[in-house]
Amino acid sequence: MLAEKWQLCLPDSSGRSLKSNMNTDKILKIQAYLDNELSSDEARQIATWLDRDPEARSLFHELRDIKSAIVGNEVSLAVPESREFYWSKIKRSIEAEPIEIVHPPIFARWLRWATPFAAAAATIALLVSFTAFDLPGLRLKVAVHEIDDSQEEDSSITFHSQAEGMTVVWIPSGH
Amino acid sequence: MNKTLTIDYPTAPDDVLVAASQKGNTVAFEELVARHRDKIYARAFSMLRNEEDATDVSQEAWVKSWQRLVQFQGDSSFATWMTRITINLSLDHLRKQKRMRTDSIEQLNEEMGGVERQMPVVNFNPSEGLERGELRVRIDKALGQLSFEHRTVLVLHEFEDLEYKAIAKKMQCSIGTVMSRLFYARRKMAALLAGLKREEFKK
């Protein structure tokens, strides 16, 4: 498609129309140059080409003139209904449908704060589940195999590791 | 001390009205609608070219904006945000319409640039010797004669000042297609405006 040639009729100095075959890619680059969509290197190349080629320059002028005629010249229009009638339909709809609820910033901040704790809780849950299933391949060397929470009795917590042959009992101060 | 914040709706700036609307104040929202409704309707009409459709789509845009108002963070002006919603809804509407109709050979030719490719270069400035009001009417008339793909790309580029990449994203097509459509649209506009001028000379 890019190799397609465009036949543009360009008038010569006597006003006769001459058919020109410009490469599509080059033609669209003239337009991109007009719209400031080219890199500085490409823009320089096109500027040089426009200086040398009257055919390309003629097309550039047409595109430039039509662009400048259109930009900023949109016709002003007004809603063809009264303010009250137009608003009444909107009002009916917004009263019928609830406002979309999006997490307010304070909740988003709380989520950010809670994420590390949630991750830690998930890790502990994973370790506990390994222990519960007691799969040989999943047994960790330095893992907490038994967590005995005797809080109901005296608030002390016992950690026991079979691999290390070690038991740690944590007693909160005040006991 | 109990502080009551009162708003003078007709004179309050948009951001005050938006903040009040975000808390569910429909009176503030009604003022925003009254203030921007013509601009929003005009954008819908420029793309849809039908009064009834433009009215419906613009009202739908207001309802959508009310539902999503909490998402508006003030990164752009409220009017710009509203216009973007309207453009998206207009494009959805056009796509639905297009799916419902079968493209004629003529339309396919236009898409491929069958006519515009061989149009002579227009050697006059379309805005020359015209009152601004008259030029605007002519531009609007010529826009109405373009296919919706060509008109939309022209509206988004010349009136909304969007770059090729942003237009491609909105229209769900490649940048190359945007460039090609914009080129055809401009050439056709040049020819249509030249035709209008010639008709005037004949009178």
Side-chain angles (χ1 to χ4, degrees), chain B residues 153-193:
Chain B
V153 87
L154 207 57
V155 165
L156 296 182
H157 193 272
E158 313 296 40
F159 295 153
E160 288 299 325
D161 203 23
L162 294 184
E163 292 179 346
Y164 293 170
K165 196 178 167 184
I167 298 171
K169 198 176 167 190
K170 280 208 181 296
M171 295 188 77
Q172 296 169 11
C173 63
S174 68
I175 291 178
T177 303
V178 169
M179 291 167 81
S180 161
R181 283 179 180 170
L182 186 60
F183 180 75
Y184 291 128
R186 280 173 168 160
R187 298 224 69 215
K188 185 144 192 184
M189 283 295 282
L192 287 167
L193 291 171

Short mmCIF file of all heavy atoms in Angstrom, two decimals, chain B residues 153-193:
data_model
loop_
_atom_site.label_atom_id
_atom_site.label_comp_id
_atom_site.label_asym_id
_atom_site.label_seq_id
_atom_site.Cartn_x
_atom_site.Cartn_y
_atom_site.Cartn_z
N VAL B 153 -11.72 12.00 12.09
CA VAL B 153 -10.28 12.23 12.20
C VAL B 153 -9.98 13.74 12.07
O VAL B 153 -9.12 14.28 12.78
CB VAL B 153 -9.52 11.36 11.16
CG1 VAL B 153 -9.38 12.01 9.83
CG2 VAL B 153 -8.17 10.95 11.67
N LEU B 154 -10.74 14.41 11.24
CA LEU B 154 -10.55 15.86 11.06
C LEU B 154 -10.98 16.63 12.33
O LEU B 154 -10.28 17.53 12.80
CB LEU B 154 -11.38 16.32 9.86
CG LEU B 154 -10.91 17.54 9.10
CD1 LEU B 154 -9.50 17.38 8.58
CD2 LEU B 154 -11.84 17.82 7.92
N VAL B 155 -12.10 16.24 12.88
CA VAL B 155 -12.61 16.89 14.10
C VAL B 155 -11.61 16.69 15.25
O VAL B 155 -11.26 17.64 15.96
CB VAL B 155 -14.01 16.32 14.49
CG1 VAL B 155 -14.39 16.69 15.92
CG2 VAL B 155 -15.08 16.83 13.52
N LEU B 156 -11.14 15.45 15.40
CA LEU B 156 -10.23 15.17 16.51
C LEU B 156 -8.89 15.89 16.34
O LEU B 156 -8.28 16.33 17.30
CB LEU B 156 -10.00 13.66 16.66
CG LEU B 156 -11.23 12.83 17.03
CD1 LEU B 156 -10.86 11.36 17.20
CD2 LEU B 156 -11.88 13.33 18.32
N HIS B 157 -8.45 16.01 15.08
CA HIS B 157 -7.16 16.65 14.86
C HIS B 157 -7.25 18.17 14.88
O HIS B 157 -6.50 18.84 15.57
CB HIS B 157 -6.54 16.18 13.53
CG HIS B 157 -5.10 16.55 13.41
ND1 HIS B 157 -4.68 17.76 12.90
CD2 HIS B 157 -3.97 15.90 13.79
CE1 HIS B 157 -3.35 17.80 12.94
NE2 HIS B 157 -2.91 16.70 13.47
N GLU B 158 -8.20 18.73 14.14
CA GLU B 158 -8.25 20.19 13.98
C GLU B 158 -9.01 20.91 15.10
O GLU B 158 -8.66 22.02 15.45
CB GLU B 158 -8.88 20.57 12.63
CG GLU B 158 -8.35 19.83 11.41
CD GLU B 158 -6.89 20.06 11.08
OE1 GLU B 158 -6.05 20.13 12.01
OE2 GLU B 158 -6.57 20.15 9.88
N PHE B 159 -10.04 20.27 15.63
CA PHE B 159 -10.81 20.93 16.69
C PHE B 159 -10.37 20.52 18.09
O PHE B 159 -10.40 21.34 19.01
CB PHE B 159 -12.32 20.65 16.52
CG PHE B 159 -12.93 21.21 15.27
CD1 PHE B 159 -14.04 20.64 14.68
CD2 PHE B 159 -12.39 22.35 14.66
CE1 PHE B 159 -14.62 21.16 13.52
CE2 PHE B 159 -12.95 22.87 13.49
CZ PHE B 159 -14.06 22.27 12.92
N GLU B 160 -10.01 19.25 18.24
CA GLU B 160 -9.59 18.79 19.58
C GLU B 160 -8.08 18.81 19.76
O GLU B 160 -7.59 18.54 20.86
CB GLU B 160 -10.13 17.37 19.84
CG GLU B 160 -11.63 17.32 20.08
CD GLU B 160 -12.07 18.12 21.29
OE1 GLU B 160 -11.35 18.18 22.29
OE2 GLU B 160 -13.16 18.73 21.21
N ASP B 161 -7.36 19.09 18.69
CA ASP B 161 -5.90 19.21 18.75
C ASP B 161 -5.22 17.93 19.25
O ASP B 161 -4.23 17.99 19.98
CB ASP B 161 -5.54 20.40 19.64
CG ASP B 161 -4.15 20.93 19.33
OD1 ASP B 161 -3.68 20.70 18.22
OD2 ASP B 161 -3.53 21.55 20.23
N LEU B 162 -5.76 16.78 18.87
CA LEU B 162 -5.15 15.51 19.28
C LEU B 162 -4.06 15.10 18.29
O LEU B 162 -4.18 15.37 17.10
CB LEU B 162 -6.20 14.40 19.36
CG LEU B 162 -7.29 14.51 20.42
CD1 LEU B 162 -8.17 13.25 20.40
CD2 LEU B 162 -6.71 14.68 21.81
N GLU B 163 -3.03 14.44 18.80
CA GLU B 163 -1.95 13.97 17.92
C GLU B 163 -2.37 12.67 17.22
O GLU B 163 -3.32 12.02 17.64
CB GLU B 163 -0.70 13.71 18.76
CG GLU B 163 -0.11 14.99 19.32
CD GLU B 163 1.11 14.74 20.17
OE1 GLU B 163 1.36 13.59 20.55
OE2 GLU B 163 1.81 15.73 20.46
N TYR B 164 -1.63 12.31 16.18
CA TYR B 164 -1.95 11.11 15.40
C TYR B 164 -2.13 9.88 16.32
O TYR B 164 -3.06 9.10 16.16
CB TYR B 164 -0.84 10.78 14.39
CG TYR B 164 -0.63 11.78 13.26
CD1 TYR B 164 0.48 11.67 12.43
CD2 TYR B 164 -1.54 12.80 13.01
CE1 TYR B 164 0.69 12.55 11.38
CE2 TYR B 164 -1.34 13.69 11.96
CZ TYR B 164 -0.21 13.57 11.15
OH TYR B 164 -0.01 14.44 10.11
N LYS B 165 -1.19 9.74 17.26
CA LYS B 165 -1.18 8.56 18.11
C LYS B 165 -2.47 8.48 18.95
O LYS B 165 -3.07 7.41 19.09
CB LYS B 165 0.05 8.63 19.03
CG LYS B 165 0.41 7.33 19.69
CD LYS B 165 1.67 7.52 20.52
CE LYS B 165 1.86 6.34 21.44
NZ LYS B 165 3.01 6.54 22.33
N ALA B 166 -2.86 9.62 19.50
CA ALA B 166 -4.07 9.66 20.34
C ALA B 166 -5.32 9.38 19.51
O ALA B 166 -6.24 8.69 19.97
CB ALA B 166 -4.18 11.02 21.02
N ILE B 167 -5.33 9.88 18.28
CA ILE B 167 -6.49 9.65 17.40
C ILE B 167 -6.57 8.15 17.05
O ILE B 167 -7.64 7.55 17.08
CB ILE B 167 -6.40 10.49 16.11
CG1 ILE B 167 -6.42 11.99 16.46
CG2 ILE B 167 -7.54 10.16 15.15
CD1 ILE B 167 -6.13 12.92 15.30
N ALA B 168 -5.40 7.57 16.75
CA ALA B 168 -5.36 6.14 16.39
C ALA B 168 -5.92 5.29 17.54
O ALA B 168 -6.68 4.35 17.33
CB ALA B 168 -3.93 5.73 16.08
N LYS B 169 -5.56 5.66 18.76
CA LYS B 169 -6.02 4.93 19.93
C LYS B 169 -7.55 5.04 20.06
O LYS B 169 -8.24 4.05 20.27
CB LYS B 169 -5.34 5.49 21.18
CG LYS B 169 -5.38 4.57 22.36
CD LYS B 169 -4.62 5.15 23.52
CE LYS B 169 -4.96 4.38 24.79
NZ LYS B 169 -4.43 5.04 25.97
N LYS B 170 -8.04 6.26 19.91
CA LYS B 170 -9.49 6.47 20.04
C LYS B 170 -10.27 5.76 18.94
O LYS B 170 -11.33 5.21 19.20
CB LYS B 170 -9.80 7.97 19.99
CG LYS B 170 -9.54 8.67 21.30
CD LYS B 170 -10.43 9.88 21.46
CE LYS B 170 -10.16 10.60 22.75
NZ LYS B 170 -10.47 9.79 23.95
N MET B 171 -9.72 5.81 17.73
CA MET B 171 -10.46 5.24 16.59
C MET B 171 -10.13 3.77 16.37
O MET B 171 -10.65 3.15 15.44
CB MET B 171 -10.18 6.05 15.32
CG MET B 171 -10.71 7.47 15.42
SD MET B 171 -10.61 8.37 13.86
CE MET B 171 -11.99 7.65 12.95
N GLN B 172 -9.26 3.22 17.23
CA GLN B 172 -8.88 1.80 17.15
C GLN B 172 -8.36 1.44 15.76
O GLN B 172 -8.85 0.51 15.12
CB GLN B 172 -10.05 0.91 17.56
CG GLN B 172 -10.46 1.11 19.00
CD GLN B 172 -11.78 0.46 19.36
OE1 GLN B 172 -12.33 -0.33 18.62
NE2 GLN B 172 -12.31 0.80 20.51
N CYS B 173 -7.42 2.25 15.28
CA CYS B 173 -6.80 1.95 13.98
C CYS B 173 -5.32 2.32 14.06
O CYS B 173 -4.86 2.83 15.09
CB CYS B 173 -7.51 2.72 12.86
SG CYS B 173 -7.39 4.51 13.01
N SER B 174 -4.58 2.10 12.98
CA SER B 174 -3.15 2.39 13.00
C SER B 174 -2.89 3.88 12.75
O SER B 174 -3.77 4.59 12.25
CB SER B 174 -2.44 1.58 11.92
OG SER B 174 -2.84 2.06 10.66
N ILE B 175 -1.69 4.32 13.09
CA ILE B 175 -1.32 5.72 12.84
C ILE B 175 -1.32 5.99 11.33
O ILE B 175 -1.73 7.06 10.88
CB ILE B 175 0.06 6.04 13.48
CG1 ILE B 175 -0.07 6.02 15.01
CG2 ILE B 175 0.60 7.39 13.01
CD1 ILE B 175 1.20 6.26 15.78
N GLY B 176 -0.89 4.98 10.56
CA GLY B 176 -0.88 5.12 9.10
C GLY B 176 -2.29 5.39 8.56
O GLY B 176 -2.48 6.23 7.68
N THR B 177 -3.27 4.69 9.12
CA THR B 177 -4.67 4.90 8.69
C THR B 177 -5.12 6.31 9.05
O THR B 177 -5.81 6.97 8.27
CB THR B 177 -5.59 3.84 9.35
OG1 THR B 177 -5.09 2.55 9.01
CG2 THR B 177 -7.02 3.97 8.91
N VAL B 178 -4.73 6.77 10.23
CA VAL B 178 -5.08 8.14 10.65
C VAL B 178 -4.52 9.14 9.65
O VAL B 178 -5.21 10.06 9.19
CB VAL B 178 -4.56 8.43 12.08
CG1 VAL B 178 -4.68 9.92 12.42
CG2 VAL B 178 -5.33 7.61 13.10
N MET B 179 -3.24 8.96 9.31
CA MET B 179 -2.57 9.89 8.38
C MET B 179 -3.27 9.90 7.02
O MET B 179 -3.50 10.95 6.44
CB MET B 179 -1.10 9.50 8.22
CG MET B 179 -0.29 9.73 9.47
SD MET B 179 1.31 8.92 9.37
CE MET B 179 2.22 10.09 8.40
N SER B 180 -3.58 8.70 6.56
CA SER B 180 -4.22 8.57 5.26
C SER B 180 -5.62 9.19 5.27
O SER B 180 -5.99 9.95 4.38
CB SER B 180 -4.24 7.08 4.91
OG SER B 180 -5.15 6.82 3.94
N ARG B 181 -6.39 8.90 6.33
CA ARG B 181 -7.75 9.47 6.43
C ARG B 181 -7.72 10.99 6.54
O ARG B 181 -8.54 11.69 5.95
CB ARG B 181 -8.47 8.90 7.65
CG ARG B 181 -8.98 7.50 7.43
CD ARG B 181 -9.65 6.96 8.67
NE ARG B 181 -10.13 5.60 8.45
CZ ARG B 181 -10.60 4.82 9.41
NH1 ARG B 181 -10.64 5.24 10.66
NH2 ARG B 181 -11.02 3.60 9.14
N LEU B 182 -6.74 11.48 7.30
CA LEU B 182 -6.63 12.93 7.48
C LEU B 182 -6.29 13.61 6.15
O LEU B 182 -6.84 14.66 5.81
CB LEU B 182 -5.55 13.24 8.52
CG LEU B 182 -5.38 14.68 8.96
CD1 LEU B 182 -6.66 15.23 9.56
CD2 LEU B 182 -4.25 14.81 9.99
N PHE B 183 -5.44 12.94 5.38
CA PHE B 183 -5.06 13.48 4.08
C PHE B 183 -6.26 13.54 3.13
O PHE B 183 -6.54 14.58 2.52
CB PHE B 183 -3.93 12.63 3.47
CG PHE B 183 -3.47 13.11 2.14
CD1 PHE B 183 -2.68 14.26 2.04
CD2 PHE B 183 -3.83 12.45 0.97
CE1 PHE B 183 -2.25 14.72 0.79
CE2 PHE B 183 -3.41 12.92 -0.27
CZ PHE B 183 -2.62 14.05 -0.36
N TYR B 184 -6.99 12.43 3.05
CA TYR B 184 -8.18 12.41 2.19
C TYR B 184 -9.19 13.46 2.64
O TYR B 184 -9.79 14.16 1.83
CB TYR B 184 -8.87 11.04 2.24
CG TYR B 184 -8.10 9.93 1.57
CD1 TYR B 184 -7.84 8.73 2.25
CD2 TYR B 184 -7.64 10.04 0.27
CE1 TYR B 184 -7.15 7.69 1.66
CE2 TYR B 184 -6.96 9.00 -0.34
CZ TYR B 184 -6.70 7.83 0.36
OH TYR B 184 -6.03 6.80 -0.23
N ALA B 185 -9.38 13.53 3.95
CA ALA B 185 -10.37 14.47 4.50
C ALA B 185 -10.01 15.91 4.16
O ALA B 185 -10.87 16.70 3.74
CB ALA B 185 -10.46 14.29 6.01
N ARG B 186 -8.75 16.25 4.29
CA ARG B 186 -8.31 17.62 3.99
C ARG B 186 -8.47 17.93 2.50
O ARG B 186 -8.91 19.01 2.13
CB ARG B 186 -6.86 17.81 4.42
CG ARG B 186 -6.72 18.06 5.89
CD ARG B 186 -5.27 18.06 6.29
NE ARG B 186 -5.08 18.59 7.63
CZ ARG B 186 -4.01 18.35 8.36
NH1 ARG B 186 -3.03 17.58 7.90
NH2 ARG B 186 -3.89 18.86 9.56
N ARG B 187 -8.08 16.97 1.67
CA ARG B 187 -8.18 17.19 0.23
C ARG B 187 -9.63 17.36 -0.19
O ARG B 187 -9.97 18.20 -0.99
CB ARG B 187 -7.55 16.01 -0.53
CG ARG B 187 -6.07 15.83 -0.25
CD ARG B 187 -5.30 15.58 -1.50
NE ARG B 187 -5.24 16.75 -2.34
CZ ARG B 187 -5.24 16.73 -3.67
NH1 ARG B 187 -5.31 15.59 -4.30
NH2 ARG B 187 -5.18 17.84 -4.36
N LYS B 188 -10.49 16.56 0.39
CA LYS B 188 -11.91 16.65 0.03
C LYS B 188 -12.49 17.97 0.54
O LYS B 188 -13.28 18.61 -0.16
CB LYS B 188 -12.67 15.46 0.61
CG LYS B 188 -14.11 15.45 0.16
CD LYS B 188 -14.65 14.07 -0.07
CE LYS B 188 -15.99 14.17 -0.78
NZ LYS B 188 -16.62 12.88 -0.98
N MET B 189 -12.09 18.37 1.74
CA MET B 189 -12.56 19.65 2.29
C MET B 189 -12.12 20.80 1.38
O MET B 189 -12.89 21.72 1.10
CB MET B 189 -12.00 19.87 3.70
CG MET B 189 -12.68 19.08 4.78
SD MET B 189 -14.40 19.53 5.06
CE MET B 189 -14.25 21.02 6.01
N ALA B 190 -10.87 20.73 0.91
CA ALA B 190 -10.35 21.79 0.03
C ALA B 190 -11.18 21.86 -1.24
O ALA B 190 -11.58 22.94 -1.69
CB ALA B 190 -8.88 21.51 -0.31
N ALA B 191 -11.49 20.68 -1.80
CA ALA B 191 -12.27 20.64 -3.04
C ALA B 191 -13.70 21.13 -2.79
O ALA B 191 -14.25 21.88 -3.61
CB ALA B 191 -12.29 19.22 -3.58
N LEU B 192 -14.30 20.72 -1.68
CA LEU B 192 -15.68 21.12 -1.38
C LEU B 192 -15.77 22.63 -1.15
O LEU B 192 -16.67 23.30 -1.64
CB LEU B 192 -16.19 20.38 -0.13
CG LEU B 192 -16.51 18.90 -0.30
CD1 LEU B 192 -16.69 18.21 1.05
CD2 LEU B 192 -17.77 18.72 -1.15
N LEU B 193 -14.80 23.18 -0.42
CA LEU B 193 -14.82 24.62 -0.16
C LEU B 193 -14.55 25.40 -1.45
O LEU B 193 -15.14 26.47 -1.66
CB LEU B 193 -13.81 24.99 0.93
CG LEU B 193 -14.18 24.48 2.34
CD1 LEU B 193 -13.03 24.69 3.31
CD2 LEU B 193 -15.43 25.19 2.87
#
